Amino acid sequence: MKADPKRVLSGNHFINGNHSATEGAIAAGCTFAAGYPITPSTEIVERIASRFPRVGGMFVQMEDEIASSICLQGGVWSGRKAMTVTSGPGMSLMMEHVGLAQITETPCVFINVQRAGPSTGLPTKTAQADMMQAKWGSHGDYEAIALSPSSPQECFDYTIDCFNLAEEYRMPVFLMSDEMTGHMTEKVVIPPADEIELVERQFYTGSDKYLPYKREANGIPLMSKAGLGHHYHITGLTHDERGYPVLTKPVQEKMMTGLMKKVGDNVDKLTRYEEFMMEDADIALVSYGISFRMAYKAMEMAREKGIKVGLLRMITCWPFPEKPIRELAQKVKSMIMVELNYGQMFLEMDRFSNKYCETDLCGSSGGEVHEPEEILTKILEAAKK
Amino acid sequence: MENREVRLGGFGGQGVILAGMILGRAKSIFEDKYATLTQDFGPEARGGAASCAVILSDDPILYPNVFNPDVLLAMSQGALDKYIDGLQKGGTLVIEEDLVKVGDIDPSIKVFACPATRFAEEIGRKIVLNIVMYGFLVAVSGLVSEEIARKGVEASIPSGTEKLNFAAFEKGYQYGIEQKEKLG
């Protein structure tokens, strides 16, 4: 289905990443948002509050992040596309309900405009230190989908992708933005509505009794919504196809297999990445989000010195692009992860590559983006080995 | 490849951030090249000071921070004092003549002064001082062409204010051309 022209601000804009992400959500058909403003994501809820009423949407400023992250799920079960927006401290509070969205298979989008932590940390400064939280922050096993934008343009594009993935896989999806990307202003081209492809929710239309967790051939159960006349039950407890709690190992195993396989069986389809100058590279930088831009700059600087460096940029951080990383590790002599933390995605990269090549981290405490020279120093060290 | 970096600073309310936005919009949308604008947030952006930095480039911009701009626009003494040390040797300093005093600075720096607040008052509304200053900045620095710069203004102002804003832009731009000729 195509986007609704009334909801798409087609044209060329000079706006920041947060505003751009908001326009992405509106274009994607999001009509419900609940949130509790927090720096550096506040511009998103500001724009939501201003724009939603004009495009048939509703925004609720809740009393805190815990309430926001459950409120949005109520919105989803009433049939709307919904999201919430926050930063690290708020994300920590929302973690209980990320788990709820996982087990209840509630399609929704969480935008995390990351700032440096732990705790309240540096509210106005950038970091990429919530990457592991996106995968492991709520208790229990689950798979995650997370996309990392590096520019205001990508904030628009990837927010739409997040909504599409949420609907396709019936699960929460993360946009892992950061303070720099959110606050930076650049040109954003919003295409005509008929060039924006949307995935719409699949509702149960049969005449038999509706089973909210009966998996279709593609592994995804069909949804209902309040008012369609179905009686069903949604719970955070382990449940059977009817949605009722059944607290036994066989039911747990069946439910978990379904949850894990819907992403696990589609990793290749979900994995998105870009490669640059990799043809002759013997050192590979790996990066994502805002750090990708500094890594690219450092790659150019190293190439000028005649060092054969390439770059793999992850668009999806979760599921982790295991296959391209493993293949790359067998081609190069050294891989360096560039990220604004003490080595989160590095751990993932390392476990798939250290059997084949040297691995190193160009990390950061957060607070500022990398100086390209810092990355260049790591490249030069790797080149000497 | 051309790559220019500008820092704009002043008091909150003078419209320096809007001036930066107009510049970035002009370059990226109307010249169809690249611009990245970053702002100071947090404690450093409080206490009445406002500042932003704009990178203008013919190629995609990777590194977004600006520490050593080749053009500094200072519309308050605080902005000059804070950012003058970062201005590149041989760079261009643009000041609001009645609000900023330039002390000892590197002799290679070209200084252009414009009484933008006074001009804006003469035009009729003090609020357009940033547009006067923007016109002046564009004229003395050549960051974008006059035509492109004007399109940036047109796309950034509320409808009904065109006459006032274009008069402000014109005044700043013409004064800038005069000053540039005068200073060689």
Side-chain angles (χ1 to χ4, degrees):
Chain A
M1 189 179 143
K2 305 293 183 188
D4 175 358
K6 288 196 288 293
R7 304 176 59 85
V8 183
L9 276 190
S10 302
N12 297 330
H13 304 267
F14 192 63
I15 52 176
N16 70 31
N18 283 343
H19 286 168
S20 179
T22 312
E23 290 307 325
I26 295 171
C30 177
T31 55
F32 186 76
Y36 186 74
I38 178 171
T39 304
S41 70
T42 310
E43 294 80 7
I44 302 184
V45 288
E46 277 176 352
R47 193 161 176 128
I48 285 173
S50 141
R51 289 268 292 134
F52 267 35
R54 288 182 263 170
V55 290
M58 179 187 279
F59 168 65
V60 191
Q61 179 168 332
M62 296 301 288
E63 69 266 33
D64 61 22
E65 286 88 348
I66 300 174
S68 306
S69 57
I70 189 65
C71 183
L72 90 101
Q73 296 183 45
V76 173
W77 283 97
S78 79
R80 289 171 183 248
K81 290 186 180 179
M83 73 164 175
T84 189
V85 179
T86 190
S87 187
M91 205 67 247
S92 294
L93 290 172
M94 290 180 180
M95 275 302 152
E96 166 64 22
H97 292 144
V98 169
L100 184 73
Q102 287 283 356
I103 201 168
T104 58
E105 304 188 52
T106 301
C108 53
V109 173
F110 288 80
I111 298 184
N112 180 355
V113 186
Q114 297 171 87
R115 67 194 220 186
S119 190
T120 31
L122 287 173
T124 60
K125 304 272 183 199
T126 192
Q128 295 174 303
D130 307 343
M131 299 308 296
M132 278 290 176
Q133 185 191 45
K135 174 68 178 81
W136 302 106
S138 198
H139 55 276
D141 283 306
Y142 56 86
E143 293 283 0
I145 301 177
L147 276 61
S148 277
S150 70
S151 65
Q153 179 69 55
E154 290 177 355
C155 286
F156 178 85
D157 298 341
Y158 296 177
T159 299
I160 294 175
D161 295 338
C162 283
F163 275 96
N164 284 345
L165 291 166
E167 295 300 337
E168 187 174 352
Y169 292 93
R170 232 191 106 168
M171 61 186 284
V173 174
F174 289 89
L175 182 79
M176 299 301 285
S177 183
D178 73 285
E179 185 276 334
M180 180 58 98
T181 311
H183 280 163
M184 167 197 290
T185 303
E186 290 185 339
K187 178 161 79 175
V188 174
V189 180
I190 299 185
D194 62 8
E195 289 175 19
I196 299 174
E197 199 64 50
L198 300 183
V199 175
E200 291 307 302
R201 191 166 302 166
Q202 298 301 305
F203 292 110
Y204 178 72
T205 53
S207 50
D208 295 341
K209 182 163 173 48
Y210 170 57
L211 296 170
Y213 295 99
K214 181 176 182 292
R215 293 187 189 283
E216 298 298 305
N218 65 0
I220 318 292
L222 295 170
M223 283 195 83
S224 185
K225 62 181 171 185
L228 282 188
H230 301 126
H231 297 267
Y232 54 94
H233 191 251
I234 312 163
T235 177
L237 286 166
T238 293
H239 44 259
D240 61 12
E241 286 184 340
R242 299 169 305 156
Y244 286 103
V246 181
L247 309 181
T248 63
K249 193 204 164 188
V251 173
Q252 166 74 358
E253 193 173 339
K254 188 176 176 203
M255 180 192 75
M256 284 306 300
T257 304
L259 282 184
M260 302 303 279
K261 274 170 70 78
K262 67 179 178 179
V263 173
D265 286 354
N266 291 298
V267 170
D268 287 346
K269 198 174 137 196
L270 284 162
T271 297
R272 284 170 66 190
Y273 64 99
E274 298 172 306
E275 286 187 331
F276 302 93
M277 299 190 190
M278 212 57 101
E279 299 73 25
D280 62 343
D282 51 26
I283 297 170
L285 300 173
V286 181
S287 194
Y288 56 92
I290 190 68
S291 297
F292 146 69
R293 294 167 63 143
M294 301 344 118
Y296 197 105
K297 181 89 186 161
M299 173 182 71
E300 288 182 341
M301 291 157 78
R303 284 271 168 183
E304 274 173 30
K305 292 180 185 295
I307 303 169
K308 289 175 179 165
V309 187
L311 169 61
L312 185 146
R313 177 268 171 111
M314 305 190 294
I315 295 171
T316 41
C317 286
W318 301 112
F320 187 78
E322 175 187 329
K323 203 165 130 190
I325 292 286
R326 189 180 275 130
E327 283 168 9
L328 183 58
Q330 293 169 56
K331 283 194 288 193
V332 297
K333 66 171 192 177
S334 188
M335 285 169 84
I336 305 168
M337 174 61 78
V338 183
E339 57 180 343
L340 292 173
N341 59 51
Y342 280 86
Q344 296 193 8
M345 300 314 284
F346 169 75
L347 290 174
E348 288 294 293
M349 182 194 85
D350 184 62
R351 76 192 180 98
F352 295 117
S353 53
N354 69 15
K355 199 158 48 162
Y356 309 108
C357 72
E358 295 281 328
T359 61
D360 200 358
L361 166 69
C362 186
S364 164
S365 64
E368 293 289 347
V369 295
H370 287 92
E371 290 301 317
E373 291 75 11
E374 294 171 53
I375 307 166
L376 181 63
T377 304
K378 285 281 182 186
I379 297 170
L380 295 174
E381 279 170 23
K384 264 186 231 153
K385 278 178 192 165
Chain B
M1 143 185 169
E2 196 187 44
N3 197 18
R4 305 283 304 268
E5 298 188 350
V6 197
R7 164 71 61 183
L8 302 93
F11 301 122
Q14 283 179 317
V16 286
I17 310 242
L18 180 59
M21 293 286 285
I22 297 173
L23 184 60
R25 187 171 284 129
K27 180 77 179 184
S28 64
I29 294 177
F30 298 108
E31 204 182 308
D32 203 17
K33 294 289 170 56
Y34 299 91
T36 299
L37 180 144
T38 51
Q39 272 172 259
D40 282 344
F41 285 84
E44 68 273 25
R46 302 291 180 269
S51 148
C52 67
V54 192
I55 305 174
L56 307 171
S57 180
D58 292 344
D59 297 309
I61 296 158
L62 297 167
Y63 181 71
N65 286 336
V66 171
F67 295 111
N68 300 111
D70 54 271
V71 179
L72 170 62
L73 172 74
M75 287 171 67
S76 72
Q77 193 64 41
L80 179 92
D81 296 345
K82 185 171 175 188
Y83 296 113
I84 187 67
D85 291 344
L87 183 60
Q88 274 177 30
K89 274 193 187 344
T92 302
L93 172 64
V94 183
I95 56 167
E96 209 297 350
E97 193 175 330
D98 297 334
L99 299 174
V100 180
K101 283 197 168 53
V102 182
D104 279 342
I105 57 166
D106 193 286
S108 69
I109 290 170
K110 298 181 282 293
V111 184
F112 294 95
C114 174
T117 314
R118 236 187 309 143
F119 285 164
E121 281 166 353
E122 283 167 23
I123 290 161
R125 285 196 66 190
K126 194 177 160 183
I127 198 169
V128 295
L129 80 111
N130 61 334
I131 306 297
V132 178
M133 209 66 205
Y134 167 74
F136 184 75
L137 169 74
V138 168
V140 301
S141 65
L143 290 165
V144 288
S145 73
E146 183 188 3
E147 187 199 348
I148 294 291
R150 182 193 292 272
K151 285 183 181 166
V153 174
E154 196 175 357
S156 308
I157 55 172
S159 64
T161 67
E162 290 84 359
K163 206 177 150 194
L164 183 69
N165 279 293
F166 286 140
F169 175 77
E170 212 55 52
K171 180 74 187 171
Y173 190 84
Q174 287 311 324
Y175 189 71
I177 296 293
E178 284 165 29
Q179 292 299 302
K180 204 175 174 185
E181 278 169 10
K182 210 161 108 187
L183 296 170

